[in-house]
Amino acid sequence: MSEPIEPSTSSSSSTKDPAFLIHPRREPFEHGLLSIPKLIFADPTQTLVPLKHKLIEQSPSHRVNAAAISESLQISIDLARLVLDTLASVLHLESDPLVQAKPDGVDEVGADVHDLVLFLYIQSYKKLLPRTHKDSAAVADVWPSTSAFDGYLSALSPLQLVRSNSRRFVPSQADEEAHQLSYLQKHLGNLVSLLAEPVEGEGEESLVLTMERLEHLGFLIQFGDKGSESGHLSQYAPFFANSDPDMPAVPVPAAQVHEWILNNIASALENISERISPKENGLPSSSDQDVPMADACTSSTKGSTCVRGSSFIEGISKSSLVRHASDLKGPSVKVLNCHDSVIYILAPLRYATVYGCSDATIVLGAVGKAVRIEHCERVHVITAANRICIANCRECMFFLGVNQRPLIVGDNHKLQVAPYNTFYSQLEEHLSEVGIDATINRWNEPLPLGAVDPHDSLSHPAGVSDAQAESATRVDPDQFTTFLIPNWCGGEPHGSTKVNPFPLPEAYVESQDRNQKNLGEVKQLLREAPLEDNRKRELSTALHVYFKDWLYASGNIRQLYCLQGE
């Protein structure tokens, strides 16, 4: 069953009630793809079926650790551990032992073999190509000028594509969902075969699927619009719907499961097509309209939308924006195409994506699963997270409190990393809520993978596919400063966090102590300066003028107006 089974042509019988529409789980496709060439197979089924049998034979519990993954896939133990950590961050069931494991217990728990083979199969997925925006003239007013690095990049580098298209470069959610569903539709036969087992004594032609094995497909598909809250996949399967919970359900033919899911995918694609058609005819949808930039800092609702579990903050320019948990409509956030702005997202999150931003400072509260920063330039990102992936960025700084090594992939230039450098009143509560351990911070252990993303659909110059991504350098302790979040946007209601909960390395503590000492000495010199009262007033006035000039020159004056306006 090495060739993908073509979709059934039978008509869909699914209702179009949103609660009964099938959706792809976006998390594996957005946060679960790794730039490791040995995980991408020309014929995934031919490779993964024997791999599954081998791993099951080695482990009666059907769970495998990093050593087994390393040996079977011929990758390093570090990359095998990365596979485990990545799989844990995108699994669909919070009750899975791998998800529940502490950072130092992941290898002991191991991954379920069936989840692992599905995870490895989708490493062959190719992302949707970007679309050119219809109003290319408007783009020039948003994107910054070409960097000096551009002379060294191929004409098809992802970052140049971002600039040459627009801030609308990101495919719409409907387009991405249709692309992911089409991929699942094409490969569903192979995916089902990886979970199915033959009836004893009847050979490979009599593949069946148990209810327990069907649940593993919940890693890739789900029903309803509530994300991980949608429930178990078997609850929606007509052949398991009336099963006695006290009795094992009778396995069903794999072909029946295959046809049922194909029919639901066909119905979902038809529904997406009907939603996209009005937009293609020039009729805007509520989630596709631009936010007036002048209004972006004067209302708590402008600048963001919500689509199936994710809140979007898009197109903010030359402004400041604050979002708390009560402002968000789901556990995930996407910050898209924001320019020359400061954005505070002070909330507990599961996933966060920052895409196509430039000349901005973005503070992400506590992200329990994964953060992805992609196609950004001259952006400062401050985040506490379980894990972070940085892709195709340049001249960016990352102030991190992370429990896993930061991943660096793709075409990056002049990246810098530093320890976490801020706090807000509810930070420790949010860290606890999403399961981040502030005593573990691996900010200074970046892990560079491939310089070319094998999951994009772009062509690349010959000879670069095996090149390693440029890693990040550490911010010099003397250049490290604490980032202060204004009191009026620090939290609602007020929490108990008074200091940065992530301990700083000694060199950074010493540098901060020196800076505080120097500041104290300057203040004392000014207080004790032998000046007459009128000269002291002149000095004070001059200092205020210089400070005001700095506020305007740095753009921080805009922050004061915007945030106080909220």
Side-chain angles (χ1 to χ4, degrees), residues 488-549:
W488 57 82
C489 66
E492 53 172 20
H494 294 296
S496 58
T497 304
K498 305 297 182 185
V499 296
N500 180 357
F502 290 89
L504 289 177
E506 189 61 32
Y508 291 85
V509 173
E510 292 175 356
S511 176
Q512 289 213 313
D513 289 344
R514 284 196 303 272
N515 291 338
Q516 287 294 327
K517 181 181 178 182
N518 292 339
L519 178 61
E521 290 174 353
V522 170
K523 287 181 176 180
Q524 185 173 355
L525 285 172
L526 291 175
R527 282 195 301 267
E528 297 175 357
L531 298 175
E532 297 177 359
D533 287 346
N534 62 326
R535 300 291 290 176
K536 286 185 177 181
R537 284 194 295 271
E538 289 176 5
L539 176 60
S540 177
T541 300
L543 290 173
H544 280 91
V545 169
Y546 281 118
F547 179 65
K548 187 175 181 181
D549 289 344

Side-chain angles (χ1 to χ4, degrees), residues 131-187:
R131 297 184 305 174
T132 302
H133 190 264
K134 59 186 179 181
D135 187 10
S136 58
V139 176
D141 294 331
V142 177
W143 283 105
S145 60
T146 303
S147 167
F149 288 110
D150 284 342
Y152 300 97
L153 300 178
S154 80
L156 289 175
S157 76
L159 192 55
Q160 286 176 317
L161 275 173
V162 170
R163 289 201 191 93
S164 66
N165 290 325
S166 73
R167 64 187 180 87
R168 289 278 192 91
F169 158 87
V170 187
S172 73
Q173 293 300 295
D175 287 341
E176 281 194 337
E177 181 161 321
H179 184 67
Q180 291 162 7
L181 280 173
S182 297
Y183 171 84
L184 293 171
Q185 185 181 55
K186 179 180 179 181
H187 293 271

Side-chain angles (χ1 to χ4, degrees), residues 240-503:
F240 290 132
N242 298 317
S243 298
D244 186 340
D246 297 324
M247 295 287 290
V250 177
V252 298
Q256 185 178 352
V257 176
H258 180 243
E259 183 180 9
W260 170 67
I261 297 177
L262 279 182
N263 286 341
N264 277 279
I265 289 177
S267 179
L269 287 171
E270 181 183 353
N271 182 265
I272 291 172
S273 177
E274 291 174 358
R275 287 175 12 227
I276 291 177
S277 294
K279 285 193 271 185
E280 290 178 341
N281 293 329
L283 300 175
S285 70
S286 60
S287 62
D288 196 45
Q289 296 181 24
D290 287 335
V291 177
M293 295 307 166
D295 295 337
C297 67
T298 58
S299 169
S300 62
T301 59
K302 288 184 179 291
S304 60
T305 57
C306 177
V307 179
R308 200 165 60 83
S310 292
S311 293
F312 288 73
I313 296 172
E314 183 171 10
I316 304 300
S317 180
K318 297 182 179 180
S319 186
S320 295
L321 194 74
V322 181
R323 289 290 179 266
H324 297 290
S326 59
D327 302 314
L328 305 176
K329 304 303 182 185
S332 301
V333 164
K334 293 188 176 183
V335 181
L336 309 175
N337 305 306
C338 294
H339 170 65
D340 194 14
S341 298
V342 180
I343 296 170
Y344 303 87
I345 304 173
L346 310 180
L349 303 167
R350 288 169 58 84
Y351 299 94
T353 298
V354 178
Y355 191 105
C357 297
S358 64
D359 301 287
T361 295
I362 299 168
V363 182
L364 301 172
V367 187
K369 296 292 187 180
V371 175
R372 185 173 179 89
I373 314 295
E374 190 169 6
H375 293 306
C376 290
E377 183 169 290
R378 297 184 300 277
V379 168
H380 289 197
V381 175
I382 304 171
T383 185
N386 186 33
R387 66 195 314 265
I388 185 170
C389 179
I390 301 162
N392 303 308
C393 294
R394 60 177 66 184
E395 301 171 45
C396 294
M397 296 178 69
F398 302 90
F399 298 86
L400 304 176
V402 287
N403 289 172
Q404 297 177 24
R405 297 178 67 181
L407 285 187
I408 299 180
V409 300
D411 181 20
N412 299 284
H413 295 281
K414 287 193 172 181
L415 303 184
Q416 292 182 282
V417 292
Y420 193 73
N421 67 338
T422 193
F423 66 92
Y424 57 95
S425 64
Q426 288 185 289
L427 177 58
E428 287 170 300
E429 297 170 37
H430 292 169
L431 293 176
S432 177
E433 183 176 336
V434 301
I436 296 173
D437 186 348
T439 66
I440 300 173
N441 192 358
R442 305 185 72 180
W443 68 273
N444 59 342
E445 303 175 47
L447 177 59
L449 296 180
V452 170
D453 184 355
H455 305 105
D456 67 34
S457 300
L458 304 169
S459 59
H460 298 279
V464 302
S465 59
D466 296 326
Q468 191 177 72
E470 180 183 312
S471 191
T473 60
R474 301 181 191 180
V475 171
D476 188 294
D478 291 334
Q479 303 299 317
F480 179 83
T481 58
T482 297
F483 184 87
L484 295 178
I485 296 175
N487 289 334
W488 57 82
C489 66
E492 53 172 20
H494 294 296
S496 58
T497 304
K498 305 297 182 185
V499 296
N500 180 357
F502 290 89

Side-chain angles (χ1 to χ4, degrees), residues 81-116:
R81 174 60 191 261
L82 174 61
V83 168
L84 277 179
D85 288 336
T86 306
L87 176 58
S89 72
V90 295
L91 274 176
H92 56 304
L93 293 178
E94 288 296 312
S95 58
D96 189 283
L98 186 62
V99 178
Q100 294 292 318
K102 300 294 183 184
D104 58 355
V106 166
D107 195 43
E108 182 180 351
V109 170
D112 185 285
V113 170
H114 301 96
D115 292 330
L116 176 64

Side-chain angles (χ1 to χ4, degrees), residues 35-257:
S35 298
I36 302 176
K38 286 190 175 181
L39 301 188
I40 301 172
F41 312 110
D43 189 336
T45 309
Q46 189 173 13
T47 303
L48 293 174
V49 168
L51 175 67
K52 180 189 76 169
H53 292 317
K54 176 184 176 181
L55 292 174
I56 287 176
E57 288 174 4
Q58 292 177 351
S59 174
S61 68
H62 292 186
R63 303 194 77 87
V64 290
N65 60 16
I69 294 172
S70 172
E71 188 274 331
S72 60
L73 295 174
Q74 294 298 295
I75 58 177
S76 70
I77 195 71
D78 284 344
L79 291 183
R81 174 60 191 261
L82 174 61
V83 168
L84 277 179
D85 288 336
T86 306
L87 176 58
S89 72
V90 295
L91 274 176
H92 56 304
L93 293 178
E94 288 296 312
S95 58
D96 189 283
L98 186 62
V99 178
Q100 294 292 318
K102 300 294 183 184
D104 58 355
V106 166
D107 195 43
E108 182 180 351
V109 170
D112 185 285
V113 170
H114 301 96
D115 292 330
L116 176 64
V117 293
L118 293 181
F119 173 81
L120 293 174
Y121 191 100
I122 66 165
Q123 298 304 311
S124 64
Y125 174 77
K126 295 285 188 181
K127 298 175 184 175
L128 184 62
L129 272 172
R131 297 184 305 174
T132 302
H133 190 264
K134 59 186 179 181
D135 187 10
S136 58
V139 176
D141 294 331
V142 177
W143 283 105
S145 60
T146 303
S147 167
F149 288 110
D150 284 342
Y152 300 97
L153 300 178
S154 80
L156 289 175
S157 76
L159 192 55
Q160 286 176 317
L161 275 173
V162 170
R163 289 201 191 93
S164 66
N165 290 325
S166 73
R167 64 187 180 87
R168 289 278 192 91
F169 158 87
V170 187
S172 73
Q173 293 300 295
D175 287 341
E176 281 194 337
E177 181 161 321
H179 184 67
Q180 291 162 7
L181 280 173
S182 297
Y183 171 84
L184 293 171
Q185 185 181 55
K186 179 180 179 181
H187 293 271
L188 183 63
N190 291 343
L191 294 167
V192 170
S193 73
L194 287 173
L195 300 176
E197 52 193 12
V199 176
E200 188 173 351
E202 296 189 23
E204 292 291 333
E205 292 75 21
S206 59
L207 292 177
V208 296
L209 213 65
T210 65
M211 187 166 71
E212 185 270 333
R213 294 284 178 88
L214 175 68
E215 294 295 358
H216 289 285
L217 278 177
F219 175 62
L220 297 173
I221 56 176
Q222 64 188 30
F223 281 87
D225 56 2
K226 295 183 180 180
S228 59
E229 301 174 8
S230 295
H232 292 273
L233 199 59
S234 60
Q235 295 175 358
Y236 298 87
F239 30 80
F240 290 132
N242 298 317
S243 298
D244 186 340
D246 297 324
M247 295 287 290
V250 177
V252 298
Q256 185 178 352
V257 176

